[in-house]
Amino acid sequence: MTRASWTVFLVALCLRPAITVVGPMLPQISAAEGLAETTAGILGAVPLLAFAAVSPQVHRLSSRYGIERTVLVSLLVLAVGGVVRSYTGDAGLWLGTVIIGCAIAVGNVLVPAIVKRDFAAQVSRATGVYTAFLTIAASLASAVAVPIAGLADWRLSLAVWSGLALVVAGVWFPRTKSDSSETPRVSATESGSVWRQGHAWLLTAFMGLQSTTFYIMVTWLPTIEVAGGVSQRTAGVHLFLYQGMGIVGGLVIPLLLRRTGTRVAGAVLSSVPLVVAVAGLLTVPSLAVLWVIVAGWGQGAALVAALTLISIGGRTSGETTRLSGMAQSLGYLLAAGGPVLAGVLADRTGSWTASLVALAVLALLQATAALAAALGDRRREPLPALSAQS
């Protein structure tokens, strides 16, 4: 591990703001573009569909061009996508969102592999730091979205994060010089093997349900609160608080995940808070701030739990890349339906109650999948060792 290894956490800063900034801006975007709740939900789902489509192909790109170079290109494409989404008209709103989703998908898959490679002796701790950076940027984007829009408009509020991607690309560039010697190679024996592993499917279910519940909350929490009489600015602050508490959960949960004996408890404890929080939003909405805090802690912890189980599930960085690609591809395909489902239910019923009930059911399924994935990790039979070049 070198000092340059820590720059991977800067990449994490770019992997959520372009998405989480949309939630607080959705009322303004919908008004400006004439989007109904269902259509707005589809807009929120587009990046997830891009994740699902691109994730399985990332290992091919990284094997051909190198991990570091692939990450650099994804950062540059992300910056371009942010500008296209904001400033190229109605069609650009959708095209830019697709570009953003494709670029972020690359980082989603490769960063866990880089963490496993560069921090092999402390994967759960490094994953906690990675998700802390991820969540800090995501929550900051949510908090400043409305103030920036107040100074200019919603287009600048969305586009400003392209600048961050360009800065990080500049910092990342020196790493590409030694890329050819660090690219993970995948043997023919390893190729495609994760799709035949039952444990990989459990991890995919956990990752998918965690992503589904997270993106429902990020996309619709401000709109739900505004519909309940909360100001748009306050709703944006609540979304910031939700994601900010994820930092705490993400940094605390590795204490349980680092040991095999406590990993099951850690996975379950990371998912139960969301069940409690959604039940609270349904039954005691006056305590919304409390439920936002509880949900945020749980979502941050659940993300670290899912990524940690994925990182330790691969025997090499190459296999981890494939496992991450599978879990994120199918997982985000499942997650893409979440914001759309919530929007459709709100459209059909005229309120957000049915959407919250659906979220509660998904939260229960997430907790069940977390338990199954952690038990599967503990019971998993060791696989034949691969060579260091595989």
Side-chain angles (χ1 to χ4, degrees), residues 352-389:
W352 289 98
T353 301
S355 301
L356 287 173
V357 170
L359 180 59
V361 173
L362 291 170
L364 284 170
L365 292 175
Q366 176 189 319
T368 303
L371 174 62
L375 287 173
D377 171 70
R378 189 172 67 178
R379 296 170 180 173
R380 190 184 182 200
E381 292 295 328
L383 297 173
L386 297 175
S387 67
Q389 297 300 316

Side-chain angles (χ1 to χ4, degrees), residues 126-149:
T127 301
V129 175
Y130 153 58
T131 54
F133 275 70
L134 195 80
T135 308
I136 287 171
S139 57
L140 180 62
S142 298
V144 303
V146 174
I148 291 177

Side-chain angles (χ1 to χ4, degrees), residues 4 54 247 263 278:
V54 172
I247 300 172
R263 201 164 287 151
V278 179

Side-chain angles (χ1 to χ4, degrees), residues 85-151:
R85 179 175 64 178
S86 292
Y87 296 113
T88 58
D90 295 346
L93 175 67
W94 295 90
L95 176 61
T97 302
V98 172
I99 294 172
I100 287 169
C102 292
I104 292 176
V106 174
N108 284 344
V109 173
L110 292 183
V111 168
I114 296 172
V115 167
K116 179 181 179 64
R117 183 192 66 190
D118 294 352
F119 301 91
Q122 43 188 336
V123 171
S124 62
R125 181 181 177 186
T127 301
V129 175
Y130 153 58
T131 54
F133 275 70
L134 195 80
T135 308
I136 287 171
S139 57
L140 180 62
S142 298
V144 303
V146 174
I148 291 177
L151 295 174

Side-chain angles (χ1 to χ4, degrees), residues 304-345:
V304 172
L307 291 175
T308 297
L309 291 175
I310 289 171
S311 293
I312 64 178
R315 296 158 294 183
T316 67
S317 60
E319 188 176 35
T320 300
T321 300
R322 285 183 170 273
L323 181 58
S324 179
M326 173 186 173
Q328 298 200 45
S329 174
L330 297 183
Y332 283 125
L333 184 61
L334 173 64
V340 177
L341 173 64
V344 169
L345 289 174

Side-chain angles (χ1 to χ4, degrees), residues 39-229:
T39 307
I42 294 173
L43 182 66
V46 166
L48 308 184
L49 293 172
F51 292 173
V54 172
S55 294
Q57 308 305 320
V58 172
H59 75 279
R60 299 180 186 275
L61 294 173
S62 63
S63 294
R64 181 172 182 177
Y65 300 108
I67 283 185
E68 272 71 18
R69 293 191 188 98
T70 304
V71 170
L72 176 64
V73 172
S74 73
L75 290 169
L76 297 175
V77 172
L78 176 59
V80 172
V83 175
V84 170
R85 179 175 64 178
S86 292
Y87 296 113
T88 58
D90 295 346
L93 175 67
W94 295 90
L95 176 61
T97 302
V98 172
I99 294 172
I100 287 169
C102 292
I104 292 176
V106 174
N108 284 344
V109 173
L110 292 183
V111 168
I114 296 172
V115 167
K116 179 181 179 64
R117 183 192 66 190
D118 294 352
F119 301 91
Q122 43 188 336
V123 171
S124 62
R125 181 181 177 186
T127 301
V129 175
Y130 153 58
T131 54
F133 275 70
L134 195 80
T135 308
I136 287 171
S139 57
L140 180 62
S142 298
V144 303
V146 174
I148 291 177
L151 295 174
D153 57 18
W154 65 265
R155 298 183 186 279
L156 177 63
S157 185
L158 266 59
V160 69
W161 298 102
S162 292
L164 175 63
L166 286 176
V167 171
V168 174
V171 175
W172 185 262
F173 177 75
R175 292 188 58 152
T176 63
K177 297 178 181 180
S178 59
D179 204 15
S180 59
S181 64
E182 297 179 358
T183 303
R185 302 298 178 186
V186 182
S187 69
T189 301
E190 183 183 5
S191 177
S193 61
V194 293
W195 293 85
R196 297 192 297 270
Q197 295 175 13
H199 181 246
W201 286 96
L202 293 176
L203 289 174
T204 298
F206 182 19
M207 184 72 188
L209 289 164
Q210 184 277 327
S211 298
T212 302
T213 54
F214 173 78
Y215 283 105
I216 289 176
M217 290 287 285
V218 166
T219 302
W220 290 118
L221 180 61
T223 303
I224 291 172
E225 291 197 322
V226 168

